[in-house]
Amino acid sequence: MAPISIKRILISESVDPCCKKILQENGIQVTEKQNMSKDDLIAEIKDYDGLVVRSATKVTADVINATGNLQIIGRAGTGVDNVDVDAATKKGIIVMNTPSGNTISAAELTCTLLMSLSRHVPQAAMSMKAGNWDRKKFMGAEMYGKILGIVGLGRIGKEVATRMQSFGMKTIGYDPVTPPEVTATWGVDQMSLEQLWPQCDYITVHTPLMPSTAGLLNDTSFAKCKKGVKVVNCARGGIIDEDALLRALESGQCGGAGLDVFVEEPPKNRALVNHPNVISCPHLGASTKEAQARCGQDIALQIVDMVMGKGLVGAVNAQVLASTFSPGSHQWIKLGEAVGVVLKSCTTSKQPFSQVQITTQGDCLKGSSGYMTSAVMVGLLTDVSKSCPNLVNSLTLAKETGIKVTRNHSEGLTQGAPVLLELNHSVFRQPVSLTGNLLFLKATASPQLLPSVTGLLATAGVEMESFSAPAARSGDQWYCVGLSSLLGDLGALKPLVKEAAQLSV
């Protein structure tokens, strides 16, 4: 993939100074402006190619639609809850985070809350400060031999499991993505949520916040848990239903909760925070010097690597681009766009396509069908879509246009130049080599077509270099003619053909 040009970046929050330093050392101009209102950000963002945020800046659709040349939104942290990823994708903007920057810090805080719930450490400390000596009031429980349920077995879930196993806890878990055979290697038995709820003495959640995880722990799931179960959320507010949690705490079904995140931050409804069995923190999961330095460094290096064409890490909406940094990918992207242009040029009516299928063949394209598909749609949608299509947004724009895009890959293809096998149901007798100047003609099959076209080209001073005919011998079919140079005017072909298009590949 051709390197993405990022010349100016706005950092809208307090990010570790190493982020600005790394970007500047690599020739990128950096402006830092904190505590901007939404209107201020909308007015400011027009002048930048990139934006770096943490959690406070809300990159809404209004902000994204106000951008001019913005190409990258980088979040120095895990998750992108404060970024409208759909709006960014539609505009062709890459959204990137630092997936491992705060892993250790978030895992350590989770473990801290688990231990604090077990021994009532914060409550005991506050009691001491009030001048009390209440040993019996703060009777705790050992973690040894207890069962910890981990919902979400990604990086942080794994680190929590490893640490709590050292206390002699049995770790079980649930994750719809990570294979059970993988989690088994680090001591976590996977099972369904229905199997997990009744077994746990403690539950900690480590999933993103999405429709499928919102309210994952609710009245129904709490009712299935052991009475007195203790829960921890250092992931995202809303994964545990806050109203259901308060009801479970008041009934004793939940014996305690450690909360670092809330649906509303700071929380205005204080009933949950003020409950005596709740330990709460003001979203401190990533608030360590090490995590902030790591996140700032990671987001800067990821942007620099992307700009330098070295690779793409942490992109949440443009995974297809990860393969475009391999040697030779640029020529395939260019080819895909050319195929899309051919398809658009040879459309026989002004009606939009309803379905496009892209088939790749051969080992050389085995890992490239994703970006090849996106590239074809870039060529097809350029000058058709109101938005500017690129590899990030072309499939989204196609869907909005009503085009169903499918792709498949088959093994085995003779080596050589890229070829076109079929065009709008016209199967060529010999594959069309997609190089040079090409003239596509749609005409009724006739023995007179070739000599007539040859004569017209000779009159125009253009030499015919190749001629590809369709396999079918009747009806309207597509033909392809290789030319020494493009025709100056396609109008002369009107008496001979029904449709005509030419291009250089």
Side-chain angles (χ1 to χ4, degrees):
M1 179 179 178
I4 297 172
S5 177
I6 303 291
K7 297 180 180 178
R8 298 192 66 196
I9 283 182
L10 172 66
I11 299 178
S12 64
E13 296 181 53
S14 177
V15 177
D16 192 271
C18 70
C19 179
K20 179 179 180 179
K21 181 181 178 182
I22 292 170
L23 292 171
Q24 288 179 329
E25 288 175 347
N26 286 275
I28 299 174
Q29 298 178 35
V30 179
T31 301
E32 293 182 291
K33 289 191 176 183
Q34 299 179 26
N35 303 317
M36 284 187 290
S37 67
K38 178 180 176 180
D39 290 339
D40 291 338
L41 182 58
I42 287 175
E44 183 75 22
I45 198 63
K46 298 174 183 178
D47 300 326
Y48 297 91
D49 307 307
L51 172 66
V52 172
V53 302
R54 283 182 60 194
S55 300
T57 303
K58 307 304 177 186
V59 192
T60 63
D62 290 339
V63 173
I64 289 167
N65 292 332
T67 61
N69 191 46
L70 198 70
Q71 298 182 67
I72 179 75
I73 298 170
R75 180 172 184 269
T78 303
V80 285
D81 295 346
N82 54 319
V83 179
D84 190 326
V85 177
D86 289 339
T89 301
K90 184 176 178 180
K91 192 132 187 186
I93 299 170
I94 299 170
V95 179
M96 176 188 291
N97 68 354
T98 54
S100 59
N102 60 12
T103 296
I104 299 301
S105 293
E108 288 183 351
L109 181 61
T110 299
C111 297
T112 299
L113 290 176
L114 287 168
M115 289 183 281
S116 296
L117 285 173
S118 180
R119 300 303 297 270
H120 312 296
V121 174
Q123 295 94 328
M126 293 300 293
S127 177
M128 285 286 289
K129 289 181 182 295
N132 301 317
W133 185 263
D134 296 322
R135 295 183 67 195
K136 292 183 179 180
K137 182 178 180 180
F138 300 113
M139 175 70 68
E142 290 184 350
M143 309 196 78
Y144 181 84
K146 301 300 191 301
I147 298 177
L148 171 64
I150 305 173
V151 180
L153 296 166
R155 294 179 178 87
I156 297 173
K158 176 183 178 181
E159 295 297 335
V160 169
T162 302
R163 283 157 178 74
M164 299 318 296
Q165 286 162 10
S166 68
F167 282 79
M169 296 193 84
K170 177 184 178 182
T171 50
I172 62 176
Y174 167 79
D175 192 295
V177 178
T178 308
E181 56 269 23
V182 172
T183 62
T185 63
W186 26 278
V188 178
D189 295 326
Q190 272 206 58
M191 58 192 67
S192 69
L193 290 174
E194 294 300 307
Q195 294 171 309
L196 181 141
W197 300 134
Q199 298 187 47
C200 300
D201 299 297
Y202 298 81
I203 296 171
T204 178
V205 294
H206 300 284
T207 71
L209 180 64
M210 57 183 69
S212 61
T213 62
L216 198 62
L217 263 168
N218 51 41
D219 288 314
T220 301
S221 46
F222 271 120
K224 296 174 182 177
C225 293
K226 286 183 180 178
K227 188 173 181 62
V229 65
K230 295 178 175 63
V231 299
V232 169
N233 186 3
C234 287
R236 289 290 183 268
I239 298 172
I240 300 177
D241 184 317
E242 292 180 352
D243 293 332
L245 174 58
L246 184 57
R247 287 189 288 269
L249 287 162
E250 290 174 342
S251 70
Q253 182 64 18
C254 178
L259 303 174
D260 185 46
V261 289
F262 300 86
V263 172
E264 184 180 32
E265 296 183 352
K268 293 179 181 177
N269 185 347
R270 304 291 298 179
L272 193 59
V273 174
N274 293 335
H275 194 281
N277 291 338
V278 171
I279 302 169
S280 55
C281 301
H283 204 147
L284 298 179
S287 293
T288 64
K289 294 178 181 178
E290 293 85 356
Q292 289 310 303
R294 199 179 296 121
C295 287
Q297 174 181 280
D298 285 355
I299 197 66
L301 291 175
Q302 288 170 202
I303 291 173
V304 168
D305 283 348
M306 180 189 71
V307 171
M308 299 299 182
K310 294 181 179 179
L312 185 65
V313 175
V316 300
N317 68 333
Q319 292 88 343
V320 68
L321 296 183
S323 300
T324 64
F325 291 84
S326 60
S329 63
H330 183 61
Q331 64 175 342
W332 294 117
I333 294 170
K334 190 174 180 181
L335 168 65
E337 293 180 1
V339 169
V341 171
V342 169
L343 196 58
K344 179 179 65 177
S345 301
C346 296
T347 303
T348 58
S349 70
K350 299 300 181 182
Q351 296 298 319
F353 288 93
S354 61
Q355 183 172 350
V356 175
Q357 178 173 314
I358 293 93
T359 300
T360 52
Q361 292 181 294
D363 291 340
C364 60
L365 286 177
K366 191 171 185 179
S368 309
S369 61
Y371 67 73
M372 279 287 287
T373 299
S374 296
V376 170
M377 298 314 298
V378 170
L380 179 61
L381 294 173
T382 298
D383 301 327
V384 174
S385 172
K386 294 180 181 179
S387 302
C388 181
N390 61 20
L391 295 182
V392 176
N393 65 4
S394 63
L395 295 183
T396 298
L397 296 177
K399 185 176 181 179
E400 290 187 350
T401 309
I403 302 174
K404 180 182 179 181
V405 182
T406 58
R407 65 182 172 96
N408 58 60
H409 179 81
S410 60
E411 303 296 335
L413 181 71
T414 54
Q415 298 298 314
V419 295
L420 180 67
L421 304 177
E422 178 183 350
L423 176 60
N424 282 357
H425 305 296
S426 290
V427 179
F428 294 102
R429 294 181 192 174
Q430 297 295 329
V432 175
S433 179
L434 290 175
T435 57
N437 302 307
L438 301 176
L439 172 64
F440 289 90
L441 309 171
K442 186 177 184 182
T444 302
S446 167
Q448 301 301 317
L449 179 63
L450 179 57
S452 298
V453 171
T454 303
L456 188 149
L457 293 176
T459 301
V462 176
E463 181 181 350
M464 179 186 293
E465 296 182 342
S466 64
F467 183 78
S468 298
R473 298 177 182 274
S474 62
D476 292 340
Q477 301 290 335
W478 281 97
Y479 299 77
C480 182
V481 183
L483 306 176
S484 59
S485 61
L486 295 179
L487 282 170
D489 179 20
L490 293 179
L493 288 166
K494 285 185 177 180
L496 305 176
V497 303
K498 296 186 176 181
E499 299 284 343
Q502 63 179 348
L503 70 154
S504 294
V505 181

